[in-house]
Amino acid sequence: VKVVALAGGIGGARFLRGLRAAVPDAEVSVIVNTGDDITLYGLRICPDLDTVMYTLGGGIDEERGWGRTDETFTTRSELQAYDAPASWFGLGDRDLATHLMRRQMLDAGFPLSQVTAALCERWRPGMRLLPMSDDRVETHVVVDDPQTGRSRAIHFQEWWVRHGAALPASAILAVGAETAAPGPGVLDAIGAADVVVLPPSNPVVSIGTVLQVDGVRAALAAKPVVGLSPIIGGAPVRGMADACLAAVGVQTSAQAVGRHYGARSAGGLLDGWLVDSSDAGVTVPGVEVRAVPLLMSDLAATAAMATAALELVLG
Ligand code: GDP
Ligand code: CA
């Protein structure tokens, strides 16, 4: 079976580990959000690609959910001692090696897709990681400055990491998405897929950004699509997806997110929508909704989620 998954960072990566365990023989291609990417100190940081790569490659810090195991932050402390402008960003010493390698290869002229493939030769994720685009796309968040009464756009990472998504956002924009071409292999992978899975990733800044890349949404219209809710009992399991949903006018509930994605038969995306057992009773017009445990508490529980997702749309 050929599976395509769209993914952000932590939620996507953990789900993919379950998917790999559930269907080890499946050929999985992951289209990864690059809208979170940011250039700091000349380095191109790709948080979602790296989270997926480290998680599937056994190099992730399990507790934090991002960055490397056994990480140290000496460089960051030194940057803080310089009062470096971006020292709010958590750059670990081990992680830095990835960013240096990526910089080196990008500077040599390789596109992000090839750089990613090269980095994956070390991590062997067991599936194909495809950046959604080789072109630069950066998510920006429009926030209102209460002091001046004016609004300004800041990079997603500044809003998310530096401000903890606490500044009320009036819009979220994927800058560059309108002209970004899908990465090599992205549309082909969707075209060859038997099923497309939307893991419990952030519906706005992870899945929502991938969907803005030219041709992706249209390609999905020809495939069975199943999604898993990142929202359980009216709250994100982790992180601040509620702040992102508020910015696009969607309630933080499994039902509202399912309806936001919408039924494929009605111009939306979904054929099937998995919600947590505690959200049983959710309905999305035109979509088959099933309630199962959706907490990725361990690999077995996560694999069961993946199995349930595939069964819902493939039977
Ligand atoms: P990010 O890029 O690191 O923010 O990660 P993603 O966008 O891939 O995933 C973030 C989402 O994962 C959050 O909205 C969480 O609610 C969701 N999430 C994290 N852990 C779980 C879990 O155990 N179960 C479910 N259903 N969602 C989860
Ligand atoms: Ca992310």
Side-chain angles (χ1 to χ4, degrees), residues 75-133:
T75 310
R76 185 192 190 179
S77 311
E78 289 293 314
L79 287 165
Q80 279 164 339
Y82 281 116
D83 220 356
S87 53
W88 46 266
F89 195 84
L91 271 186
D93 300 321
R94 286 177 185 271
D95 190 37
L96 263 175
T98 302
H99 307 314
L100 291 170
M101 287 298 290
R102 183 182 288 119
R103 177 77 276 155
Q104 177 98 346
M105 289 187 269
L106 288 171
D107 279 350
F110 293 102
L112 182 62
S113 50
Q114 286 186 38
V115 172
T116 302
L119 295 172
C120 283
E121 280 175 29
R122 171 180 175 194
W123 293 104
R124 309 214 165 266
M127 38 186 87
R128 208 151 56 111
L129 305 193
L130 304 171
M132 66 184 199
S133 177

Side-chain angles (χ1 to χ4, degrees), residues 97-276:
T98 302
H99 307 314
L100 291 170
M101 287 298 290
R102 183 182 288 119
R103 177 77 276 155
Q104 177 98 346
M105 289 187 269
L106 288 171
D107 279 350
F110 293 102
L112 182 62
S113 50
Q114 286 186 38
V115 172
T116 302
L119 295 172
C120 283
E121 280 175 29
R122 171 180 175 194
W123 293 104
R124 309 214 165 266
M127 38 186 87
R128 208 151 56 111
L129 305 193
L130 304 171
M132 66 184 199
S133 177
D134 277 338
D135 300 329
R136 178 168 163 172
V137 176
E138 290 190 7
T139 301
H140 280 67
V141 180
V142 179
V143 296
D144 301 318
D145 190 331
Q147 247 132 48
T148 62
R150 262 188 244 138
S151 55
R152 65 196 171 102
I154 58 176
H155 192 286
F156 170 74
Q157 295 298 348
E158 189 176 351
W159 181 68
W160 188 259
V161 177
R162 185 181 196 176
H163 298 292
L167 301 177
S170 55
I172 295 182
L173 313 165
V175 179
E178 63 285 350
T179 53
V186 164
L187 297 185
D188 287 346
I190 299 173
D194 298 307
V195 57
V196 176
V197 184
L198 309 183
S201 283
N202 189 309
V204 182
V205 295
S206 294
I207 306 283
T209 308
V210 177
L211 291 172
Q212 285 181 56
V213 175
D214 195 31
V216 169
R217 204 176 244 282
L220 295 186
K223 297 291 166 177
V225 177
V226 59
L228 297 94
S229 177
I231 307 298
I232 296 183
V237 177
R238 224 191 136 112
M240 301 150 294
D242 46 337
C244 302
L245 287 165
V248 299
V250 176
Q251 273 186 359
T252 303
S253 72
Q255 176 157 298
V257 173
R259 290 177 182 220
H260 172 65
Y261 284 147
R264 193 163 64 93
S265 56
L269 291 163
L270 300 174
D271 297 285
W273 183 231
L274 282 188
V275 302
D276 185 64

